[in-house]
Amino acid sequence: MKILVLGSRGFPNVQGGVEACCENLYPSIAAHGHEVIVISRSCYTGKKEYVYKGIRIIPFWAPKNMKLEALVHTFLGTLAALQFKPDIIHYHAIGPSFFVPLAKFFGFRVVATHHGFDYDRAKWGIFAKKFLQWSERHLCRAHAVISVARYIQESLQKRFHTNSIVIVNGALKKNILPFGEYCKRWNLEKKKYFLFTGRL
């Protein structure tokens, strides 16, 4: 199966939640024998095509502009799908998912992953927020919709009657360090504490 990925800036060494998700997800898909093509943004990954853990990463131009970058880049990537002829186009995040209907018009099978309610972020103005909300409706028109959290699934079901699949972003299991002096300094007892890292 050939999968074309749109919505990511690219990877590795590119900051972002979508980028971290893609960097950890697609190598395992490629390892199962599928062809994965990621259209990256050349302003983050350079202009030269490369292969990362079995994934073909093809940089496309995108304007270095917060409001236009994802929109222009995903439009170009959607048009490029006509050349690559993938079995599935996988859109990440609500902004890039504005082009879900266009991909379906071209006859492609479409999967879209909802990573969060981007329009709730303070950095976006009124017009951008409205556009993102419109794009969210388009995301819900994909053949399959993935939510990265249960509350997103419930929100899409309540507002758009969209049945999505919950696939949470996982974490790679790292080597566990032995209980040592640092823990003792904080008066922690072995196997009687937990660490939470994240943002609320």
Side-chain angles (χ1 to χ4, degrees), residues 171-186:
L172 296 175
K173 187 175 180 181
K174 300 290 185 179
N175 293 331
I176 299 174
L177 298 174
F179 189 83
E181 293 301 319
Y182 185 82
C183 296
K184 292 176 183 175
R185 183 168 42 161
W186 292 97

Side-chain angles (χ1 to χ4, degrees), residues 150-161:
R150 184 76 61 193
Y151 74 92
I152 295 174
Q153 180 194 49
E154 292 170 352
S155 178
L156 295 183
Q157 176 62 43
K158 181 179 180 180
R159 292 181 296 126
F160 306 117
H161 307 289

Side-chain angles (χ1 to χ4, degrees), residues 91-189:
Y91 289 92
H92 284 270
I94 59 177
S97 294
F98 177 79
F99 296 104
V100 164
L102 179 62
K104 290 178 69 177
F105 174 78
F106 289 154
F108 295 110
R109 301 294 291 176
V110 180
V111 175
T113 297
H114 195 307
H115 289 267
F117 306 107
D118 294 337
Y119 44 78
D120 285 340
R121 297 180 182 177
K123 67 179 181 178
W124 299 117
I126 294 173
F127 177 78
K129 287 177 185 287
K130 292 295 183 185
F131 174 79
L132 289 168
Q133 289 169 340
W134 189 17
S135 296
E136 186 180 42
R137 291 179 179 274
H138 286 198
L139 178 146
C140 292
R141 295 176 62 185
H143 294 102
V145 177
I146 299 170
S147 297
V148 299
R150 184 76 61 193
Y151 74 92
I152 295 174
Q153 180 194 49
E154 292 170 352
S155 178
L156 295 183
Q157 176 62 43
K158 181 179 180 180
R159 292 181 296 126
F160 306 117
H161 307 289
T162 297
N163 294 319
S164 63
I165 303 163
V166 176
I167 303 177
V168 298
N169 293 328
L172 296 175
K173 187 175 180 181
K174 300 290 185 179
N175 293 331
I176 299 174
L177 298 174
F179 189 83
E181 293 301 319
Y182 185 82
C183 296
K184 292 176 183 175
R185 183 168 42 161
W186 292 97
N187 296 319
L188 299 173
E189 297 181 41

Side-chain angles (χ1 to χ4, degrees), residues 6-78:
L6 298 171
S8 169
R9 296 183 184 98
F11 52 85
N13 305 317
V14 179
Q15 185 178 7
V18 169
E19 289 67 37
C21 172
C22 292
E23 183 176 348
N24 288 288
L25 170 64
Y26 291 110
S28 65
I29 291 176
H32 281 82
H34 301 290
E35 181 182 356
V36 180
I37 301 171
V38 173
I39 304 298
S40 71
R41 301 177 198 173
S42 60
C43 49
Y44 295 94
T45 62
K47 298 178 181 179
K48 190 175 179 180
E49 180 180 331
Y50 58 99
V51 175
Y52 176 78
K53 295 185 177 180
I55 303 160
R56 185 179 172 194
I57 300 181
I58 304 175
F60 273 31
W61 174 84
K64 197 75 167 84
N65 178 294
M66 182 179 75
K67 295 178 181 177
L68 296 176
E69 181 183 306
L71 184 68
V72 172
H73 183 263
T74 309
F75 175 66
L76 296 175
T78 303

